Amino acid sequence: MGNDTVTIIDNATGKRMELPVFKGTCGPSVIDVRNLYREMGYFTYDPGYLSTGSCDSKITFIDGENGTLLYRGYPIEQLAKHSTYPEVCYLLLYRKLPTKAELEKFNESIKKHSLLDEAMRVFYRGFRHDAHAMAIMVAGVGALASFYPEALNVHDRNDRETSAHRLIAKMPTLAAWSYKYSIGQPFTYPRNDLDFTANFLSMMFGIPTEEYQANETFVKAMDLILILHADHEQNASTSTVRLTGSSEASPFAALSAGIGTLWGPAHGGANEVVVHMLEEMISSGKNLKHYINRAKDKNDRFRLMGFGHRVYKNYDPRAKIIRQICHQLLKEIGSDTENQQLFDTAMALERVALEDEYFIERKLYPNVDFYSGIIFRAMGIPLNMFTVIFALARTVGWLAHWMEMMADPDARISRPRQLYTGPDLQKYVPIEKR
Ligand code: SDX
């Protein structure tokens, strides 16, 4: 019995099995249960995957107990302080920080792919003007698949890399155009003289009648937000991308599925709901304790949005940084009272919650979505674009995981099993006898 195995004993039959244990660079080791069914006739059972490792990955590490987040080993705090989103994209995709020449080449490639096929202009007209931008993004990324049939060559490394660059480059254009469509303004084309994040803001807020000057404070804040949202291990949307990609589907289809998953308010959709929640708290004039009590009431579906996390049982390191960005941004732009009021309410809510036994006992802290919406709002970004920006940022994380999986020679289709508790064998009864 090595110390790199665990033994399970079936008490019903006395049958024993040694299961291999694999140790990673850091974090919990895993028990390899792949042969469990064949040798012991059992499936593992883990709805919601609380204790299940779905893959071996070298991209991102999270230590939920200590609130640590590393992209390819680099602490998020250092990347937030020193890096840029394009450089973080390179790091996540190519496993190392780029040299100056490598980053320039990468940026050139992204610029080359930033245009959408002109036919996509007509695509938007199929939507109502008040369509949720995430609905457009789910459909839009799927629609892009129709322009790049070579994306189906998922076993060709060069085609995979081209698809990755195309998706990273086109998401800002797709996102900005869904905003422009919703306000009835002309689409603004990408500009090769601007860096990635300034280019996105130019497409969002530029108009053909004026030369757009990006607000440097906004560009810096947005670039930081993109870095902080770029990847996060095997979260629900990344697991969706991996599962969809495991069937050898187009990466465009896999990302469309990932965007759909991210949209949920339990996941990336929370950033939009947090602002609705804070606005309701302000307009109701009720004491914050009223909402804390509602969040604790099992008979009330209300939850403190932007709070809690499956992995972090400590403060989400990204939330800490976003709270700082929020504070600085509001100070720099001399925010209007509404945004300041939102921020003050969020800070007060955090204080009250973190002193409450229910939240302390369950280790519920603010997560990445708690403060981010206030920053977007201060930049004049509409609520239904908040999760779109999360999707734009997470595109590189989804692609890094997809490429890691597709490069794995042992990769196979993901196909979980179940505990069946439905009806036993039934005999068909003709309708006249029912
Ligand atoms: C993201 O996975 C990732 O990495 C995601 C993400 C990423 O970068 O990809 O970090 C992005 O999705 C952040 C999370 C955004 N969602 C929200 O802010 C929505 C509000 N949060 C919750 O719905 C919840 O905390 C989840 C969905 C985030 C986590 O759910 P879990 O892990 O299944 O936790 P749970 O529901 O089992 O909660 C454990 C306990 C329960 O109470 P008890 O049954 O033990 O009495 O904590 C309670 C829950 O009721 N609880 C909350 C709460 N979150 C958990 N109670 C009130 N308010 C909350 N927000």
Side-chain angles (χ1 to χ4, degrees):
M1 240 176 324
N3 58 9
D4 49 1
T5 61
V6 293
T7 305
I8 59 164
I9 300 166
D10 183 342
N11 291 326
T13 62
K15 200 170 171 198
R16 306 163 65 92
M17 180 182 178
E18 299 278 295
L19 290 169
V21 168
F22 299 142
K23 190 169 168 30
T25 314
C26 36
S29 295
V30 296
I31 298 172
D32 181 353
V33 294
R34 283 173 290 186
N35 294 323
L36 181 67
Y37 176 60
R38 195 176 58 207
E39 310 226 345
M40 300 288 273
Y42 288 102
F43 294 146
T44 59
Y45 184 66
D46 186 13
Y49 306 124
L50 287 112
S51 305
T52 292
S54 60
C55 62
D56 159 356
S57 180
K58 298 170 175 41
I59 300 171
T60 291
F61 176 70
I62 307 172
D63 176 342
E65 303 316 317
N66 299 307
T68 306
L69 171 58
L70 311 177
Y71 289 170
R72 299 284 187 190
Y74 294 92
I76 193 68
E77 294 81 2
Q78 288 180 26
L79 294 170
K81 192 157 178 238
H82 303 294
S83 191
T84 62
Y85 181 68
E87 184 178 75
V88 164
C89 286
Y90 190 98
L91 172 66
L92 289 170
L93 289 178
Y94 298 106
R95 289 178 280 202
K96 71 181 192 74
L97 288 171
T99 61
K100 203 164 174 304
E102 286 166 335
L103 185 57
E104 271 163 20
K105 186 165 172 257
F106 178 71
N107 283 330
E108 279 319 301
S109 173
I110 296 301
K111 287 179 192 254
K112 198 178 73 182
H113 289 299
S114 57
L115 279 172
L116 299 178
D117 186 295
E118 274 297 285
M120 283 297 285
R121 296 175 64 90
V122 181
F123 165 83
Y124 288 85
R125 279 198 228 119
F127 293 90
R128 285 171 33 146
H129 274 283
D130 62 353
H132 196 293
M134 281 298 275
I136 299 176
M137 293 304 286
V138 169
V141 171
L144 281 182
S146 63
F147 296 98
Y148 308 107
E150 63 279 18
L152 288 167
N153 306 332
V154 295
H155 296 296
D156 178 299
R157 194 179 166 290
N158 293 330
D159 281 332
R160 288 202 299 268
E161 186 177 35
T162 304
S163 293
H165 286 206
R166 275 181 172 142
L167 278 156
I168 291 168
K170 294 178 193 305
M171 281 293 273
T173 314
L174 208 59
W177 285 17
S178 58
Y179 170 58
K180 286 299 197 188
Y181 180 72
S182 71
I183 56 173
Q185 278 193 0
F187 294 143
T188 312
Y189 284 90
R191 284 173 43 185
N192 288 349
D193 63 319
L194 295 176
D195 291 340
F196 184 92
T197 306
N199 195 17
F200 171 56
L201 293 179
S202 157
M203 289 190 281
M204 281 285 290
F205 299 117
I207 47 177
T209 51
E210 287 163 19
E211 177 68 25
Y212 177 73
Q213 281 304 323
N215 174 323
E216 278 315 309
T217 307
F218 285 5
V219 173
K220 181 80 191 110
M222 181 57 80
D223 199 68
L224 260 171
I225 288 276
L226 298 180
I227 291 173
L228 295 170
H229 287 76
D231 192 49
H232 213 237
E233 197 218 67
Q234 305 309 324
N235 59 83
S237 53
T238 300
S239 299
T240 302
V241 170
R242 278 182 173 261
L243 195 136
T244 308
S246 76
S247 73
E248 303 178 14
S250 157
F252 291 84
L255 261 73
S256 172
I259 295 168
T261 302
L262 185 76
W263 190 2
H267 192 9
N271 58 15
E272 175 182 343
V273 184
V274 166
V275 174
H276 282 305
M277 176 184 78
L278 294 172
E279 285 173 339
E280 199 229 307
M281 288 174 174
I282 293 167
S283 60
S284 75
K286 290 193 176 113
N287 185 301
L288 292 179
K289 262 291 187 200
H290 164 79
Y291 292 97
I292 295 287
N293 292 333
R294 278 195 61 194
K296 291 155 58 173
D297 177 358
K298 292 303 167 204
N299 301 317
D300 188 335
R301 280 194 61 78
F302 175 80
R303 284 202 152 179
L304 223 47
M305 299 309 279
F307 257 79
H309 198 277
R310 171 62 58 77
V311 177
Y312 288 121
K313 300 309 167 193
N314 200 322
Y315 213 104
D316 183 332
R318 302 167 297 175
K320 260 186 210 154
I321 299 169
I322 292 176
R323 190 179 57 187
Q324 276 166 356
I325 302 171
C326 208
H327 186 65
Q328 281 155 5
L329 185 75
L330 296 181
K331 220 164 66 184
E332 279 185 41
I333 62 172
S335 160
D336 60 66
T337 43
E338 239 177 81
N339 288 319
Q340 193 58 51
Q341 217 183 359
L342 281 175
F343 186 53
D344 295 344
T345 306
M347 300 257 280
L349 187 63
E350 175 186 333
R351 252 192 323 275
V352 174
L354 297 188
E355 285 160 6
D356 185 286
E357 203 35 53
Y358 174 95
F359 288 81
I360 295 167
E361 195 186 305
R362 291 166 179 78
K363 300 181 180 176
L364 302 175
Y365 291 87
N367 61 48
V368 69
D369 290 317
F370 189 57
Y371 288 103
S372 55
I374 303 171
I375 294 176
F376 296 145
R377 205 175 174 287
M379 289 186 187
I381 292 168
L383 272 168
N384 79 1
M385 283 294 293
F386 288 10
T387 313
V388 170
I389 293 171
F390 193 152
L392 191 169
R394 187 54 59 87
T395 295
V396 66
W398 289 330
L399 288 162
H401 284 273
W402 174 73
M403 290 173 86
E404 182 176 68
M405 177 182 70
M406 297 313 291
D408 176 356
D410 300 331
R412 52 203 311 192
I413 192 164
S414 298
R415 203 279 187 215
R417 300 303 304 271
Q418 63 178 10
L419 172 68
Y420 176 68
T421 53
D424 204 339
L425 196 64
Q426 306 249 31
K427 195 166 170 356
Y428 184 82
V429 177
I431 193 160
E432 53 280 359
K433 293 192 175 154
R434 287 176 206 161

